């Protein structure tokens, strides 16, 4: 399929190591993919769903021990440990190739190896990058078809260049003790073994588009970020694009495709989704930051998605979608997950389902029917509000960058940083409660700078420095904000309605960028005057908004202690600008 010697050498080496029975090059043609889906149906790897209700859709179940990213087993393998930094796990590259090479050795005996050429970003665009993933999983092939652009056309664009990311994946025995997700940034290489869960094995996504790409971006002067990209069109037809970094399972997909509240729809507001998880950002000729979404589909959290919370996401999953670890309704051969009951007339859960593990389930069962990290893999073009700029080679210009996390207290509904460097500081001190997107405890607050803690491919302190550098290169900087949709009352209920109503906060953000609204300066930056958040049609009052916007000095002084501890681990490598911002914050709070 190619005469590119670098590609052929990479594949030959993978064959020599994994020893598959045969090798299939993925052309991207529908007939080949359809054959593979049929094969996966025969082995049970895929289950065909109701063709009338969910045309072209399949259910996949991953091994119950393999349902989320495994941060403890994810490594950055670069020559110097210090270059991986204190947040990443590090392994010496030589040791890693040897140790994990032994696990790959013969791992595809008797199996077929698939070679998937793929492009992150529109094929052939100057901002796009090529990867080749070698895998023994049909699930990976058919999912990569949805999440990226694949096939012969990508090899044509690559020509005889050596500029591609080498990805090697084998499910091997799915042994969690031998599961490794390795990144070799200096070699443009990713090795993933003993997993079949999307985030660990769809190597174009987090492994390439964030971990490897963040390293490339540092060296090449651009940024790879864990951000959604959304366009807000006002009644005059003007569109402002916002990128937002929230940690895993903290609302990116939801914000990226929100439905405006009724009063906004009536006024003529529209929302356009460019991306829901990853943004690559470059400085344009006009001195603004421009963002592309390198992906071609959504790998979204299923539970919680319903007609009220995110109808656009739900609609996106109605055809040509692969569902992973959701429940099956055997009567209709359709899928189900928690919160879908809210869409029914009686608000009741189905009387009988097959749960995500394949076991019988009733509403009396004491387990969830769908795994909390069950996902849909849906083509972006299915999304009713997909932006006309989705494939624009140069991307869209960014008006505002928004950071945010899950904080029950501390962070107000929204605040604005004073300038770029204070905005980098705001991103660097992000903290959020952990979610089911990664294995481990859920609901524990941890620092997750720029929502990149699990995804930065080099030393986090150098990553902060890169952000500061990018600010210097950007003549027309976007303004930087922080939001928190997750403040709770004393009973633990979310105070802010969230979802579509988050547009009310985005409206304030855009007005701030255009200098159309005042704000109140407080210790951490600028917060809105409560009257400036539009609450028409909501059943909360302005006092509640005041409460949501409050910044408690004592809580923030505690926060400063936590930030100091967090920063301490970076030692001398922490940019001085951030140490200065921290000192400023402490001084402001002590006034
Ligand atoms: P990843 O795909 O893991 O990166 O997640 P994500 O950031 O795209 O999160 P997603 O939009 O899928 O939302 C995750 C969970 O947060 C779902 O259960 C949503 O229902 C919930 N959620 C999203 N937005 C809001 C909001 O504004 N308020 C509240 N209370 N919950 C929200
Ligand atoms: C996340 O966890 O941030 C996701 C899902 O978007 S995964 O692809 O598993 O990383
Ligand atoms: Mn994500």
């Amino acid at each position: 399929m190619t005469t590119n010697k670098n590609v052929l050498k990479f594949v030959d080496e993978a064959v020599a190591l994994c020893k598959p029975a045969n090798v299939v090059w993925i052309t991207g043609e529908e007939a080949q993919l359809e054959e593979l889906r049929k094969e996966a149906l025969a082995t049970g790897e895929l289950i065909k769903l109701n063709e009338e209700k969910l045309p072209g859709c399949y259910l996949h179940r991953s091994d119950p021990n393999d349902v989320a990213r495994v941060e403890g087993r994810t490594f950055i393998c670069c020559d110097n440990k210090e270059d991986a930094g204190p947040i990443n796990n590090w392994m010496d590259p030589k040791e890693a190739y040897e140790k994990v090479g032994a696990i790959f050795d013969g791992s595809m005996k008797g199996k077929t190896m698939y070679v998937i050429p793929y492009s992150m970003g529109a094929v052939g665009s100057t901002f796009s990058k090529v990867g080749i993933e070698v895998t023994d999983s049909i699930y990976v092939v058919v999912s990569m078809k949805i999440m990226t652009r694949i096939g012969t056309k990508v090899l044509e664009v690559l020509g005889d260049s050596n500029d591609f990311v080498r990805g090697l994946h084998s499910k091997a025995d799915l042994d969690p003790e031998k599961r490794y997700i390795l990144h070799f940034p200096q070699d443009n290489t990713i090795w993933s073994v003993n997993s079949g869960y999307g985030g660990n094995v769809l190597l174009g996504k987090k492994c390439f588009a964030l971990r490897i790409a963040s390293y490339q971006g540092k060296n090449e002067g651009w940024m790879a970020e864990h951000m959604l990209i959304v366009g807000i069109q006002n009644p005059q037809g003007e569109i402002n694009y916002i990128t937002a970094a929230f940690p895993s399972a903290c609302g990116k997909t939801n914000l990226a495709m929100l439905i405006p509240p009724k009063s906004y729809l009536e006024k003529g507001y529209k929302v356009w989704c460019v991306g829901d998880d990853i943004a690559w950002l470059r400085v344009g000729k006009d001195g603004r930051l421009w963002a592309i979404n390198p992906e071609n589909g959504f790998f979204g959290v299923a539970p919680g998605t319903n007609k009220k919370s995110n109808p656009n996401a739900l609609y996106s999953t109605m055809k040509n979608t692969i569902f992973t670890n959701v429940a099956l309704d055997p009567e209709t051969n359709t899928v189900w997950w928690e919160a879908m009951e809210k869409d029914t007339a009686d608000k009741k859960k189905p009387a009988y389902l097959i749960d995500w593990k394949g076991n019988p389930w009733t509403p009396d069962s004491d387990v969830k029917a769908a795994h909390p990290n069950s996902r849909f893999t849906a083509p972006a073009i299915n999304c009713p509000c997909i932006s006309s700029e989705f494939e624009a080679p140069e991307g869209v210009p960014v008006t505002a960058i928004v950071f945010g996390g899950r904080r029950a207290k501390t962070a107000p509904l929204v605040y604005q940083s004073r300038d770029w460097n204070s905005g980098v500081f705001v991103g660097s001190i992000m903290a959020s409660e952990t979610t089911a997107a990664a294995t481990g405890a859920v609901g524990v607050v941890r620092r997750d700078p720029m929502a990149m803690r699990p995804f930065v491919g080099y030393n986090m302190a150098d990553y902060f420095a890169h952000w500061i550098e990018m600010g210097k290169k950007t003549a027309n900087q976007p303004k930087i904000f922080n939001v928190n949709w997750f403040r709770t009352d004393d009973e633990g209920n979310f105070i802010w309605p969230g979802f579509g109503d988050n547009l009310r906060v985005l409206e304030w953000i855009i007005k701030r960028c255009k200098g159309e609204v005042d704000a109140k300066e407080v210790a951490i930056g600028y917060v809105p005057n409560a009257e400036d958040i539009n609450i028409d049609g909501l059943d909360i009052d302005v006092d509640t908004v005041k409460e949501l916007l409050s910044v408690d000095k004592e809580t923030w002084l505690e926060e400063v202690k936590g930030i100091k501890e967090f920063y301490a681990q970076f030692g001398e490598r922490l940019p001085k600008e951030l140490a200065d911002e921290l000192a400023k914050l402490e001084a402001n709070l002590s006034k």
Side-chain angles (χ1 to χ4, degrees):
M1 221 166 93
T2 181
T3 54
N4 181 317
K5 291 204 180 67
N6 308 295
V7 174
L8 293 172
K9 179 161 175 274
F10 163 59
V11 174
D12 284 348
E13 284 170 2
V15 169
L17 180 61
C18 303
K19 307 179 178 60
N22 47 63
V23 179
V24 170
W25 290 72
I26 300 301
T27 62
E29 284 157 325
E30 191 44 38
Q32 184 190 42
L33 293 163
E34 199 47 34
E35 275 308 306
L36 291 176
R37 289 185 199 108
K38 272 197 202 131
E39 203 180 316
L41 288 180
T43 61
E45 192 177 350
L46 293 179
I47 296 167
K48 177 91 182 96
L49 296 167
N50 186 320
E51 183 59 24
E52 263 163 47
K53 295 196 158 109
L54 295 168
C57 292
Y58 297 85
L59 170 63
H60 170 76
R61 297 191 185 112
S62 67
D63 191 282
N65 82 31
D66 183 29
V67 294
R69 283 182 294 99
V70 279
E71 295 179 3
R73 309 200 66 90
T74 300
F75 291 80
I76 300 299
C77 310
C78 51
D79 289 340
N80 299 317
K81 186 166 194 263
E82 293 70 36
D83 293 336
I87 304 283
N88 281 314
N89 301 309
W90 174 83
M91 221 190 280
D92 174 68
K94 190 163 167 283
E95 184 196 325
Y97 282 129
E98 262 167 38
K99 180 172 169 178
V100 179
I103 302 174
F104 273 110
D105 192 354
S107 62
M108 298 187 192
K109 270 187 191 155
K111 297 192 197 171
T112 299
M113 173 188 276
Y114 304 97
V115 182
I116 318 167
Y118 65 95
S119 172
M120 298 312 291
V123 180
S125 150
T126 41
F127 286 0
S128 300
K129 291 205 172 257
V130 170
I132 311 271
E133 176 164 356
V134 163
T135 177
D136 55 8
S137 156
I138 294 181
Y139 169 73
V140 168
V141 175
V142 295
S143 299
M144 286 294 280
K145 153 72 187 163
I146 299 172
M147 295 305 296
T148 71
R149 288 94 173 162
I150 63 167
T152 319
K153 59 187 185 220
V154 177
L155 287 175
E156 281 163 11
V157 163
L158 183 65
D160 54 14
S161 163
N162 191 28
D163 186 11
F164 64 94
V165 171
R166 294 145 165 79
L168 176 60
H169 165 247
S170 174
K171 283 193 296 183
D173 315 313
L174 296 178
D175 179 352
E177 300 300 320
K178 293 187 182 158
R179 187 168 295 153
Y180 288 98
I181 320 297
L182 306 181
H183 305 74
F184 303 86
Q186 293 160 308
D187 300 343
N188 263 350
T189 295
I190 304 158
W191 276 15
S192 164
V193 71
N194 275 306
S195 174
Y197 166 71
N200 299 328
V201 303
L202 306 179
L203 300 185
K205 195 174 177 61
K206 296 303 175 32
C207 299
F208 177 174
L210 288 181
R211 297 196 191 95
I212 298 287
S214 62
Y215 175 81
Q216 294 176 330
K218 175 185 69 124
N219 294 328
E220 297 166 11
W222 53 281
M223 305 160 95
E225 299 297 332
H226 192 196
M227 289 176 171
L228 67 96
I229 311 167
V230 66
I232 312 294
Q233 181 175 332
N234 68 16
Q236 293 75 46
E238 182 200 1
I239 305 179
N240 280 285
Y241 293 94
I242 294 178
T243 65
F246 307 156
S248 303
C250 290
K252 289 184 299 302
T253 303
N254 277 271
L255 193 71
M257 38 185 98
L258 71 81
I259 305 265
K262 200 161 158 277
S263 59
Y264 283 73
L265 285 173
E266 283 165 4
K267 275 186 252 169
Y269 273 90
K270 292 197 169 88
V271 168
W272 303 109
C273 173
V274 182
D276 83 322
D277 198 51
I278 298 178
W280 286 356
L281 303 160
R282 289 177 173 78
V283 185
K285 288 191 195 81
D286 57 358
R288 299 184 74 183
L289 269 188
W290 288 71
I292 68 158
N293 169 14
E295 301 193 276
N296 198 30
F298 309 122
F299 184 58
V301 179
T305 308
N306 60 31
K307 283 186 195 149
K308 184 158 183 291
S309 67
N310 194 346
N312 284 323
L314 194 65
Y315 190 84
S316 304
T317 69
M318 291 297 163
K319 60 180 184 197
N320 304 329
T321 292
I322 300 170
F323 299 91
T324 305
N325 297 332
V326 301
L328 177 69
D329 184 337
E331 201 183 302
T332 54
N333 199 27
T334 58
V335 287
W336 193 87
W337 51 75
E338 275 69 21
M340 266 201 182
E341 69 277 11
K342 296 185 182 156
D343 287 343
T344 62
D346 61 5
K347 309 278 182 249
K348 280 199 187 132
K349 296 180 178 179
Y352 180 77
L353 295 168
I354 307 293
D355 74 11
W356 66 274
K357 290 184 180 170
N359 298 322
W361 182 97
T362 71
D364 295 329
S365 303
D366 52 12
V367 293
K368 296 234 150 85
H371 187 275
N373 191 41
S374 55
R375 300 238 165 199
F376 52 80
T377 309
I381 47 159
N382 283 1
C383 181
C385 65
I386 196 74
S387 163
S388 60
E389 304 309 297
F390 169 62
E391 301 225 82
E394 71 286 4
V396 294
V398 180
T399 300
I401 293 176
V402 179
F403 295 118
R406 262 176 209 268
R407 292 305 294 272
K409 304 281 173 235
T410 323
L413 178 63
V414 58
Y415 70 102
Q416 182 185 356
S417 69
R418 292 189 174 81
D419 53 24
W420 181 271
N421 283 358
S422 83
V424 177
F425 173 72
V426 167
S428 80
I429 65 166
M430 263 171 72
S432 193
E433 294 166 21
T434 50
T435 64
T439 52
V442 165
V444 183
V445 175
R446 66 168 187 181
R447 296 279 152 207
D448 189 349
M450 282 84 170
M452 283 290 276
R453 180 187 184 112
F455 307 119
V456 67
Y458 59 103
N459 190 316
M460 183 69 83
D462 299 351
Y463 167 82
F464 295 155
H466 182 51
W467 262 85
I468 289 169
E469 271 315 298
M470 288 297 296
K472 290 183 195 152
K473 282 192 202 163
T474 311
N476 296 316
Q477 296 164 347
K479 302 263 185 288
I480 303 181
F481 299 79
N482 192 85
V483 299
N484 178 22
W485 315 138
F486 299 95
R487 262 214 193 176
T488 52
D489 61 18
D490 294 339
E491 279 86 54
N493 305 307
F494 296 121
I495 306 173
W496 178 248
F499 301 98
D501 289 311
N502 292 334
L503 182 59
R504 300 166 186 273
V505 174
L506 299 187
E507 184 189 26
W508 182 82
I509 286 175
I510 293 169
K511 278 191 182 158
R512 281 298 290 169
C513 293
K514 304 207 302 191
E516 292 174 2
V517 66
D518 278 343
K520 202 163 58 189
E521 186 160 10
V522 295
I524 58 175
Y526 302 102
V527 293
N529 293 307
E531 315 70 58
D532 290 331
I533 299 289
N534 175 7
I535 49 171
D536 284 357
L538 285 184
D539 56 5
I540 61 172
D541 58 21
V542 77
D543 285 335
T544 309
V545 178
K546 277 187 189 147
E547 167 59 29
L548 282 164
L549 293 171
S550 64
V551 175
D552 181 64
K553 280 197 178 180
E554 291 311 312
T555 322
W556 272 91
L557 280 167
E558 273 306 303
E559 192 72 5
V560 165
K561 280 191 205 154
I563 300 166
K564 278 187 185 165
E565 268 171 43
F566 179 66
Y567 272 7
Q569 57 189 322
F570 300 114
E572 290 295 300
R573 251 163 134 139
L574 183 81
K576 181 172 175 307
E577 290 86 343
L578 295 188
D580 290 349
E581 289 295 334
L582 178 57
K584 247 188 260 172
L585 174 62
E586 194 171 18
N588 286 343
L589 288 165
S590 313
K591 266 182 205 161

